[in-house]
Amino acid sequence: MTDIQKWQYLTGRYDGTNITFYVDGLKTDTVTWTGPVAHSGSKLLIGKDAMEDTFLKGIIDELRIYNYALTDSEVKALYDDSKKGTTLVGFQKKLVAEYQFEGNFNDSSGYGNNGMNINGVTFVPSVQGKGAKFNGNNFITINDSDSLDIDSAFTFSAWVYCENASSSGTKPIFSKSDTSVGDRNSPYAFVLDSQSLSARLTDLNYNYREYNNSTITMKNKSMHLLCATWDRSGAKNITFYLDGNRRDSVTWDKVISHSASRLVIGRDLVDTTHYFKGVLDDIRIYNYRLNDAQVKALYKKDTFTLNKPSTLKIKKTFLLKAVSKSIAGKSTTVTTKGVTYKSSNTKVATVSSTGKITAKAKGSATITATYGINTATASVKVIK
């Protein structure tokens, strides 16, 4: 097996008895095959197999065909000569997709993997500004690009608020998948498998959609930062994180397949009945593994607070002030901007839609303010 997203010099030699394969000038395998090679009037194709109607995706250089078998030393000399005066453009560690959902579905990574809203995904106040709200029947789709092909390492990260986490079935955070091209072209997905966080992967041998489940389980309507990291060149473990803290790992020692399928957020197109219901925020895909400290640094969220009323006498009022403070430190008063209020005991104290508390009778009550997925409480004590 050859590596992908890496320059390699590949050679095949047939001497009438054996077919010998070389990688970077070194012999790797030999297969016995005797007899003459058939002649034909067919065309020579580069980058396509006419028999299987499959194509190569990548770059080819210095392609040569000889009508005789080279020796081992000649094959090695070709590889050595190909490197002279050449600087190969290699793999670069990058954030290849980031979706902040600040009123749009644009990619903030710089790779231009912008999303398209399907069936009306909306925006609500979330842990970092706004988040994308999914109703269980809508999703975001992103066209395929080379930057979204990952094979030997990744970091998946997302803030996740799932309304039906405890139900059975797959709740897809994102999935590179497509019904039009089938399982083989569904290389990776970050999902809740029932309640368990999972990195679902397909390898180069098309072992379809292997679920690698964490012990992390999600509860309904709770917002958490979920991450998974993996590097095949290292410990070969998929490591899972909850709110920036390492929780557990599973071993996966394979290479992820590439595909021309779309990246889809909030739906798994392999099984069209699987949708996400809830809020997603700050989704990130890296083509390399972040370390523990780097994952920890992703755990940042806005704060939502209420001022605390003093003890109130019956018939007195108090105006609540709801404040949202962003991770950048900017504070915004949102008392009447999308905030809803509820009293735990309306016989003791009521609260209006603008946050005005009115004391009714002696006792205690708790006022809960809800702003998108954020909540804050204030205790009220009423005296005579």
Side-chain angles (χ1 to χ4, degrees), residues 251-296:
T251 300
W252 200 76
D253 183 16
K254 300 176 183 179
V255 177
I256 302 171
S257 65
H258 286 189
S259 83
S261 57
R262 294 170 286 174
L263 177 67
V264 183
I265 299 173
R267 184 183 181 188
D268 185 4
L269 290 184
V270 172
D271 188 330
T272 56
T273 64
H274 290 165
Y275 288 85
F276 183 86
K277 187 175 183 180
V279 178
L280 298 174
D281 198 0
D282 196 30
I283 292 176
R284 298 179 180 221
I285 301 175
Y286 297 81
N287 63 8
Y288 67 100
R289 179 178 195 154
L290 297 184
N291 60 36
D292 289 354
Q294 290 169 322
V295 172
K296 187 72 173 178

Side-chain angles (χ1 to χ4, degrees), residues 37 62 152 172 196 266 269 297 304 352 379:
V37 179
E62 293 291 325
S152 298
S196 299
L269 290 184
F304 178 59
S352 72
S379 298

Side-chain angles (χ1 to χ4, degrees), residues 11-297:
T11 308
R13 180 189 70 191
Y14 176 56
D15 59 10
T17 303
N18 296 308
I19 302 173
T20 305
F21 299 96
Y22 302 79
V23 177
D24 294 341
L26 300 176
K27 187 185 298 185
T28 60
D29 194 19
T30 299
V31 178
T32 299
W33 194 80
T34 59
V37 179
H39 291 187
S40 82
S42 58
K43 296 178 288 184
L44 174 66
L45 302 178
I46 298 174
K48 180 183 179 181
D49 183 349
M51 296 288 291
E52 299 288 339
D53 197 31
T54 55
F55 297 83
L56 181 137
K57 185 178 181 182
I59 303 171
I60 298 174
D61 197 8
E62 293 291 325
L63 189 152
R64 303 183 183 202
I65 301 175
Y66 294 83
N67 63 1
Y68 64 95
L70 300 181
T71 65
D72 290 351
S73 60
E74 288 173 325
V75 171
K76 183 65 165 60
L78 280 177
Y79 171 66
D80 292 339
D81 186 63
S82 70
K83 297 192 299 180
K84 291 179 180 179
T86 302
T87 301
L88 298 179
V89 178
F91 172 79
Q92 293 181 314
K93 293 182 178 181
K94 293 287 186 179
L95 171 66
V96 297
E98 180 184 12
Y99 302 96
Q100 298 178 355
F101 301 126
E102 294 306 309
N104 60 59
F105 305 100
N106 293 339
D107 170 24
S108 303
S109 73
Y111 279 93
N113 295 312
N114 297 329
M116 180 182 298
N117 187 353
I118 307 296
N119 295 340
V121 178
T122 57
F123 302 103
V124 296
S126 182
V127 289
Q128 294 186 8
K130 295 178 181 177
K133 183 173 175 58
F134 300 81
N135 63 12
N137 192 42
N138 49 21
F139 58 100
I140 300 162
T141 182
I142 298 101
N143 290 334
D144 175 52
S145 75
D146 290 348
S147 61
L148 295 174
D149 286 330
I150 57 177
D151 43 73
S152 298
F154 64 71
T155 297
F156 299 153
S157 175
W159 281 95
V160 178
Y161 176 92
C162 187
E163 295 182 12
N164 58 341
S166 61
S167 65
S168 62
T170 300
K171 275 76 70 175
I173 301 166
F174 60 79
S175 170
K176 198 166 193 296
S177 61
D178 203 325
T179 52
S180 64
V181 289
D183 284 353
R184 291 191 176 196
N185 290 279
S186 302
Y188 60 84
F190 196 38
V191 303
L192 295 178
D193 181 23
S194 293
Q195 285 183 268
S196 299
L197 178 62
S198 181
R200 193 188 70 199
L201 308 173
T202 297
D203 69 18
L204 287 179
N205 293 321
Y206 300 126
N207 291 308
Y208 302 153
R209 295 184 287 151
E210 296 181 338
Y211 284 82
N212 299 279
N213 285 16
S214 166
T215 58
I216 296 171
T217 56
M218 287 286 286
K219 296 181 180 179
N220 293 342
K221 298 183 178 180
S222 60
M223 189 64 147
H224 293 284
L225 178 66
L226 304 180
C227 298
T229 68
W230 173 70
D231 190 338
R232 183 172 177 267
S233 65
K236 300 176 176 57
N237 290 331
I238 303 173
T239 303
F240 296 95
Y241 298 79
L242 176 67
D243 294 337
N245 298 310
R246 180 195 285 245
R247 290 291 296 270
D248 64 336
S249 62
V250 295
T251 300
W252 200 76
D253 183 16
K254 300 176 183 179
V255 177
I256 302 171
S257 65
H258 286 189
S259 83
S261 57
R262 294 170 286 174
L263 177 67
V264 183
I265 299 173
R267 184 183 181 188
D268 185 4
L269 290 184
V270 172
D271 188 330
T272 56
T273 64
H274 290 165
Y275 288 85
F276 183 86
K277 187 175 183 180
V279 178
L280 298 174
D281 198 0
D282 196 30
I283 292 176
R284 298 179 180 221
I285 301 175
Y286 297 81
N287 63 8
Y288 67 100
R289 179 178 195 154
L290 297 184
N291 60 36
D292 289 354
Q294 290 169 322
V295 172
K296 187 72 173 178

